[in-house]
Amino acid sequence: MAEDFFRGGVVVGVDIGGTKVAAGLVNREGAIQSQVRTPMPASGKPEDGLAAVFSAIDSVLEKEPRAKSSICGIGMCAPGPLDPHAGVVVNPPNLPCWRNFPLVAEVEKVYRVPVQLENDANAAALAEAQWGAGKDYHNVFYATIGTGIGAGWVIDKKIYNGRTGAAMEGGHVSIDYRGPRCNCGKPGCVEVLAAGPAIARRARAKLSTEGRRSEILTLAGGNLEAVTSEMVGKAYAAGDLIAKQVLIETVDLLALWLGNMIDLIEPDVMIIGGGAATMLNPLFPEIVRRLPGYCVNTRCLEIPLLKAFYGAESGIAGGAALCAKEFAAEVKV
Ligand SMILES: [Zn+2]
């Protein structure tokens, strides 16, 4: 078993977030093993953040004696904005430790293998296109829905980056000119209207005005302020009416947004990942049903809407997917 895993080389996929660094060994088939997590001191000094990344990579390499001799690259993903071409983390709001930080150069210096960097949604999109739900399609649109909404567009296994690497900020596409202001400053971004916090906010509002008995409140221990989107998802699964209303409203907003995406890029497939993907999955048919009302493409119903293959490990797989060339270069039979 272990022999099969290492055949063709492995890369270390590194998922850098605002609170943790996760890393794992990934082989050329996109299988993951030896995952580790370490805390990320995101508001510390630049070198503290870097030390956390080294510590995650070292732990992965130490966990598996054969890893050091089989490693052909390190692929990292982090929240944007970052410059994937230069390998520089620019100024992400949730990684204040790094401002114009040359992360790729620092990691290459230590491990002496090719190192890649991308923003997390683009990287996750590539992993889905390469190994996951999108592997049989040319033109893949990916959305990650969780605390925020991210997007990625992969054409023939290549990420569409735009001019400077800042393309596909799909979560900050506005679907309501008069809508609430998003953290980014724009009005009515799909992120501020349909991501996890918006689901929780809408549920709280409904519960306070309608004051009905609801499974959501039971799950929150009676405390309105404690309501989360996960509780709404659980209550929906248990047949709760308010949870259903909240999720149907969310689904309607997502359908409007996905309709826009179809009119813009007409992908071969649309894939939804992220923390809310499992909760939204039973509602995919509801999203699809609404699409014809929200886009001009008369063949929009031919585009499959699929749940992502990778769940919580999408960042590790995403980082690793950036190293596809390194895998190819290492083929030894
Ligand atoms: Zn925004």
Side-chain angles (χ1 to χ4, degrees):
M1 198 63 147
E3 238 172 52
D4 287 342
F5 184 87
F6 288 93
R7 198 184 175 96
V10 292
V11 303
V12 182
V14 185
D15 176 9
I16 303 167
T19 57
K20 55 102 189 74
V21 182
L25 293 177
V26 183
N27 73 5
R28 55 185 298 122
E29 271 90 45
I32 302 172
Q33 79 171 38
S34 309
Q35 290 187 48
V36 300
R37 286 164 81 96
T38 56
M40 175 68 188
S43 0
K45 294 198 289 278
E47 54 271 28
D48 298 338
L50 188 61
V53 172
F54 290 160
S55 150
I57 297 172
D58 290 343
S59 321
V60 165
L61 293 176
E62 276 156 24
K63 249 179 139 169
E64 177 49 68
R66 295 183 53 206
K68 271 186 193 145
S69 57
S70 316
I71 177 178
C72 49
I74 296 173
M76 301 181 289
C77 62
L82 53 77
D83 182 338
H85 307 301
V88 170
V89 175
V90 182
N91 59 344
N94 32 0
L95 292 176
C97 58
W98 291 335
R99 289 294 174 263
N100 291 310
F101 187 73
L103 182 60
V104 164
E106 294 291 341
V107 174
E108 270 178 349
K109 238 191 280 175
V110 172
Y111 297 96
R112 298 170 186 278
V113 291
V115 176
Q116 307 287 341
L117 174 69
E118 250 299 351
N119 88 51
D120 31 29
N122 283 350
L126 185 64
E128 291 297 329
Q130 207 152 278
W131 297 310
K135 66 176 193 297
D136 298 326
Y137 300 89
H138 289 290
N139 183 340
V140 176
F141 175 78
Y142 169 85
T144 169
I145 304 176
T147 319
I149 294 184
W153 183 20
V154 179
I155 307 156
D156 289 326
K157 318 296 178 202
K158 280 209 179 71
I159 294 169
Y160 177 78
N161 276 124
R163 189 174 67 90
T164 65
M168 293 310 288
E169 283 294 342
H172 300 290
V173 166
S174 175
I175 52 169
D176 186 357
Y177 174 77
R178 294 190 171 80
R181 207 153 283 272
C182 176
N183 284 336
C184 76
K186 286 170 62 173
C189 293
V190 68
E191 172 167 306
V192 72
L193 287 168
I199 294 173
R201 198 176 55 234
R202 202 169 289 122
R204 283 195 289 266
K206 243 186 220 318
L207 289 166
S208 65
T209 55
E210 301 183 15
R212 274 191 256 158
R213 280 155 56 101
S214 164
E215 178 68 17
I216 305 174
L217 266 184
T218 313
L219 288 166
N223 179 4
L224 202 59
E225 290 311 304
V227 168
T228 64
S229 59
E230 288 78 16
M231 292 170 191
V232 178
K234 274 191 191 146
Y236 169 75
D240 185 82
L241 204 65
I242 290 187
K244 187 176 177 187
Q245 287 169 357
V246 168
L247 288 184
I248 291 291
E249 281 171 26
T250 308
V251 152
D252 200 48
L253 295 163
L254 289 173
L256 170 59
W257 177 63
L258 289 172
N260 288 341
M261 297 299 118
I262 292 174
D263 281 337
L264 194 65
I265 68 173
E266 198 188 28
D268 293 330
V269 64
M270 297 187 291
I271 299 170
I272 308 270
T278 303
M279 169 173 76
L280 292 171
N281 193 27
L283 292 156
F284 281 12
E286 285 292 328
I287 297 180
V288 170
R289 204 167 62 77
R290 288 165 162 77
L291 284 177
Y294 289 135
C295 66
V296 297
N297 189 316
T298 54
R299 297 176 64 179
C300 61
L301 292 177
E302 294 170 16
I303 303 171
L305 178 65
L306 306 177
K307 181 171 179 270
F309 173 76
Y310 292 105
E313 69 289 2
S314 67
I316 292 175
L322 303 169
C323 296
K325 277 199 307 290
E326 281 72 37
F327 278 127
E330 282 289 309
V331 177
K332 288 178 237 154
V333 186

